[in-house]
Amino acid sequence: MKNSPVLSIVVFSVLRLAAFLVPFTLMMMLPAFAGLWWLAALFAALIGLSISVLFLRRPLADATTAMANRRAARTAAAEKPRSEREIEDEIEDAANDEAQQG
């Protein structure tokens, strides 16, 4: 059974947050980073980015595929087929424009 699109996006987001929050929490427990929370946040962001690039390729691919599929479905649903009357009106307008020009 295939995962739902929303589930893959949520899984990637949670894993990405964990890749930042775990190193940040561990660094904040160290006495060296007690007063330098911004430095701990910077290092945690770099560590989280590295973990994401190295280990979260598949969840990222699943999330981006799910988002692309949702967008394609939304645009396909938004494009309604033209009626026969609209097509005839366009042909008539083109013929009138051509007759006026030449």
Side-chain angles (χ1 to χ4, degrees):
M1 186 164 115
K2 194 170 184 174
N3 291 341
S4 70
V6 175
L7 179 65
S8 61
I9 295 169
V10 170
V11 166
F12 177 72
S13 299
V14 167
L15 289 174
R16 188 75 194 260
L17 277 172
F20 171 76
L21 290 176
V22 170
F24 181 70
T25 304
L26 292 175
M27 280 189 262
M28 288 305 294
M29 290 194 299
L30 295 173
F33 290 106
L36 302 172
W37 61 268
W38 58 272
L39 189 60
L42 179 69
F43 286 151
L46 292 173
I47 291 169
L49 178 66
S50 300
I51 288 171
S52 177
V53 167
L54 292 174
F55 299 113
L56 299 181
R57 285 285 183 201
R58 184 165 182 190
L60 175 63
D62 292 343
T64 54
T65 302
M67 286 188 283
N69 290 341
R70 286 184 72 186
R71 175 168 284 191
R74 188 180 306 149
T75 56
E79 295 175 358
K80 66 175 188 173
R82 297 186 312 181
S83 68
E84 185 176 331
R85 181 175 178 98
E86 291 173 339
I87 295 171
E88 289 175 357
D89 287 343
E90 285 182 15
I91 293 171
E92 185 179 333
D93 290 342
N96 287 338
D97 289 342
E98 187 177 311
Q100 288 178 354
Q101 290 178 357

